[in-house]
């Protein structure tokens, strides 16, 4: 394709393999976000930001089910509409902040796993009120911000061996693929009552027996075709096509919601055209935080251990995700580090503060951002688009509910396959490297936790480096982290002894 100029003479378009790179008309935006420097275009960033939003939008539906339905010790229920609005608000604010300040296409929203920890452990088990639990989340965020400002988070990042960084990336790829398979009903857990040693199965009783899962499989082939043919915006186009198919399937079959019709229904959103297009969001729970009430309620030691758990899970969940996303986007340097990494880590830490203050739980970098990166996102402009869509979602909830998770899940599986390429960077001939890398990779999807996978890998890496006579090559920070993870994994017994 040759260079050409539009009729106004204000835009010069330089030919590339797939898309044109605009260099003049939007030069202000281009300079601010370094769009051309990273080999992208404004159009590509906008489109990829939309892809990231649809890959992440399920959190606005799922977070309320985790946080909004249970009563605390005082009988307070946050409420599904209220948590949905707060979740969208926090995600919108943090995506925009991260995009504008850190200039990376890493979406931020309420972290899965962290929200469960808040609901099940802090409120359900320890008996805290929602306000007290969110207060601990805010403290967790403040600690992470201080660690980032001090440079400790950056030092930790640099202390991780390259083989483990690659393993983290591959493990996250496996993890998000598992999320896609499970959310689409392609892989299902077998109830314990089945009395079988096999914990999961294909579909329903080994068969693809639901229309939503059929839509997922069809979408997987459609998205795979788009990537194989290197079609610009292929993943975005795939989500649109998948959604149209889902709307048609629901109109014909009436599969309905899984909450009403069991495993044959749609997992979260039912793909139907909305009767109305929005309303005023209820943000009444925003700011309902008791910063120090937990320390009075359950004691300083117990509350401090809970904060430690939050910090460790938040710290490494985000760090591992940013490592993988940066490598996937080709934004890391020869050392595997992101430029201005300290700035990015500080802003990400603010997500926990904002999430706790908004009663939406800690907000962290989302691995689902890999969908937008696979569709071309390379700068913070994509993040700002994602953030604006989250803010709009507060008012136009029915619009994003049209897209079922089964229509977006194929993108997660495709991206997981793309992230597997990093496995070649691991030296599998050295067992002391191979085993920790392997355990990191498999533990993430099997435990459904990035932090757990990192912890298992780090502890194993430290031990087997000693077994191989490589103890002197291990950075002292790796020893410290491994020791902290030992405490992290033994937290329940420790809490029981203290109680």
């Amino acid at each position: 394709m040759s260079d050409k100029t539009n009729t106004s003479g204000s835009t010069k378009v330089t030919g590339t393999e797939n898309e044109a790179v605009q260099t003049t008309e939007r030069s202000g935006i281009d300079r601010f976000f370094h769009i051309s420097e990273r080999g992208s275009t404004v159009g590509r960033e906008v489109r990829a930001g939309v892809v990231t939003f649809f890959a992440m939008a399920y959190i606005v539906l799922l977070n309320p089910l985790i946080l909004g339905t249970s009563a605390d010790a005082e009988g307070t229920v946050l409420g599904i509409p209220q948590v949905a609005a707060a979740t969208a608000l926090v995600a919108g604010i943090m995506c925009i902040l991260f995009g504008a300040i850190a200039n990376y296409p890493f979406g931020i929203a309420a972290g899965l796993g962290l929200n469960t920890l808040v609901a099940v452990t802090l409120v359900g088990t320890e008996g805290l009120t929602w306000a007290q639990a969110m207060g601990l989340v805010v403290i967790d965020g403040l600690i992470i911000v201080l660690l980032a400002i001090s440079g400790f988070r950056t030092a930790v990042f640099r202390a991780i061996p390259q083989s483990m960084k690659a393993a983290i990336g591959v493990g996250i790829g496996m993890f998000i693929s598992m999320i896609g398979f499970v959310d689409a009903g392609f892989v299902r857990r077998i109830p314990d009552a089945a009395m079988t040693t096999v914990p999961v199965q294909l579909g329903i009783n080994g068969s693809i027996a639901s229309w939503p899962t059929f839509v997922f499989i069809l979408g997987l082939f459609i998205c795979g075709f788009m990537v194989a043919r290197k079609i610009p915006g292929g993943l975005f186009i795939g989500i649109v096509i998948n959604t149209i198919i889902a709307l048609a399937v629901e109109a014909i079959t009436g599969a309905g919601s899984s909450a009403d019709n069991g495993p044959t229904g749609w997992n979260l959103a039912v793909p139907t055209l909305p009767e109305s297009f929005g309303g005023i969001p209820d943000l009444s729970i925003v700011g309902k935080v008791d910063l120090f009430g937990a320390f009075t309620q359950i004691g300083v030691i117990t509350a401090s251990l809970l904060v430690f758990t939050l910090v460790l899970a938040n710290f490494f969940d985000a760090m591992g995700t940013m490592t993988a996303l940066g490598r996937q986007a080709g934004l890391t340097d020869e050392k595997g580090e992101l430029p201005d990494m300290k700035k990015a880590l500080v802003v990400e830490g603010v997500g926990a503060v904002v999430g706790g203050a908004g009663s939406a739980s800690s907000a962290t970098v989302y691995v689902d951002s890999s969908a937008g990166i696979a569709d071309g996102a390379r700068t913070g402009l994509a993040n700002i688009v994602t953030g604006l869509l989250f803010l709009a979602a507060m008012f136009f909830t029915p619009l994003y509910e049209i897209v079922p998770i089964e229509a977006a899940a194929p993108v997660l599986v495709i991206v997981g396959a793309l992230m597997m390429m990093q496995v070649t960077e691991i030296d599998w001939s050295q067992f002391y490297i191979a085993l920790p890398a392997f355990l990191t990779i498999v533990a993430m999807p099997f435990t459904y936790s990035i932090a757990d996978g990192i912890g298992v890998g780090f502890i194993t890496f430290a031990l087997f480096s000693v077994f191989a006579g490589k103890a002197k090559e291990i950075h002292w920070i790796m020893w410290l982290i491994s020791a902290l993870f030992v405490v992290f994994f033994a937290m329940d017994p420790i809490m029981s002894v203290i109680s």
Side-chain angles (χ1 to χ4, degrees), residues 11 13 20 33 59 63 74-75 93 117 142 169 182 192 241 246 260 271 274 381 427 458 495:
T11 303
V13 182
F33 291 104
I59 191 60
N63 202 36
E74 295 180 350
I93 291 173
L117 180 62
L142 292 173
V182 172
D192 294 337
I241 294 175
D260 300 322
L381 178 59
D427 185 0
F458 279 17
M495 294 289 288

Side-chain angles (χ1 to χ4, degrees), residues 19 35 38-41 43-49 51 105 233-235 328-329 369-379 382:
E19 289 191 59
I35 295 174
R38 297 185 184 178
S40 187
T41 68
R44 188 186 303 171
E45 294 296 311
V46 171
R47 184 191 64 224
V51 170
L235 294 180
Q328 180 196 359
S369 307
S370 56
I373 291 173
D375 210 42
R378 295 295 180 270
T379 75

Side-chain angles (χ1 to χ4, degrees), residues 329-387:
L331 298 176
T332 54
D333 57 23
E334 64 278 359
K335 297 180 181 179
E337 298 179 7
L338 288 166
D340 293 326
M341 182 170 56
K342 181 176 179 179
K343 184 190 299 183
L345 292 172
V346 171
V347 179
E348 189 280 330
V350 172
V353 179
V354 174
S359 297
S361 182
S362 177
T364 187
V365 172
Y366 252 58
V367 68
D368 307 79
S369 307
S370 56
I373 291 173
D375 210 42
R378 295 295 180 270
T379 75
L381 178 59
N383 238 44
I384 289 178
V385 172
T386 302

Side-chain angles (χ1 to χ4, degrees), residues 421-445:
M421 291 186 290
Q422 299 179 45
V423 76
T424 59
E425 300 177 24
I426 301 170
D427 185 0
W428 296 103
S429 66
Q430 300 292 329
F431 190 72
Y432 81 96
I433 293 176
L435 182 62
F438 172 75
L439 291 177
T440 300
I441 292 169
V442 299
M444 286 188 191

